Amino acid sequence: MITFHLARADNGVIGVDGDLPWRLPADLRRFKAQTMGKPMVMGRKTFESFPSPLPGRRHIVLTRDPAWRAEGAEVVHSVEQALATAGNGEVAIIGGAEIFALFLDRADRIELTEVHLSPAGDAVVPPFGPEWRETARDDHPAEGERPAYSFVTLERLS
């Protein structure tokens, strides 16, 4: 099973300057709970946005740079190599935008945090198409400086 894990603003923005344009501790807790113990596939920029590798998870980094290496990263250069490296079981695809586009036709489920604001950003993921069905939604109101958000699960129609 291939599952996307992402937070996306109402305007499609998922990042700005290698960071998230919002602070939502509940989203980070959900991400940790959903990815713990699973192989995570990500791009180089996503890996480099972490202060250090995230504990309890494998970091499979898909990059075009044949010379790139980093402590804690399992480097791969194709979608097929990433999936072979991840092995059987659930694979967490965690970004960025180019990685989501590469795996979209293979994804089975999307764990999406809809962030209800429209910030400026340089990484965008377009809306998911009609082949996706919403199977769960948990809405949360804005709180102080934190925007309203919704935890949404989408599953591919067979």
Side-chain angles (χ1 to χ4, degrees), residues 52-148:
S52 62
L54 303 176
R57 291 155 275 191
R58 290 174 55 205
H59 296 67
I60 300 169
V61 180
L62 178 54
T63 177
R64 289 182 286 266
D65 182 350
W68 186 84
R69 298 281 178 272
E71 179 92 19
E74 297 175 60
V75 181
V76 297
H77 303 291
S78 71
V79 168
E80 292 74 22
Q81 190 181 12
L83 294 174
T85 300
N88 295 328
E90 187 174 340
V91 179
I93 309 298
I94 67 165
E98 290 180 48
I99 302 301
F100 290 128
L102 286 172
F103 282 89
L104 184 58
D105 64 339
R106 299 173 186 243
D108 302 295
R109 187 172 66 223
I110 300 168
E111 293 295 348
L112 174 66
T113 300
E114 294 176 345
V115 183
H116 301 302
L117 53 92
S118 294
D122 54 19
V124 175
V125 170
F128 298 106
E131 68 274 20
W132 294 96
R133 174 176 53 105
E134 184 176 311
T135 58
R137 173 176 290 270
D138 185 13
D139 297 321
H140 299 269
E143 233 177 75
E145 295 293 309
R146 295 194 180 111

Side-chain angles (χ1 to χ4, degrees), residues 15-20 45-46 48-50 122:
V16 61
D17 296 329
D19 202 1
L20 297 173
K45 291 179 197 170
T46 297
E48 290 176 347
S49 73
F50 300 144
D122 54 19

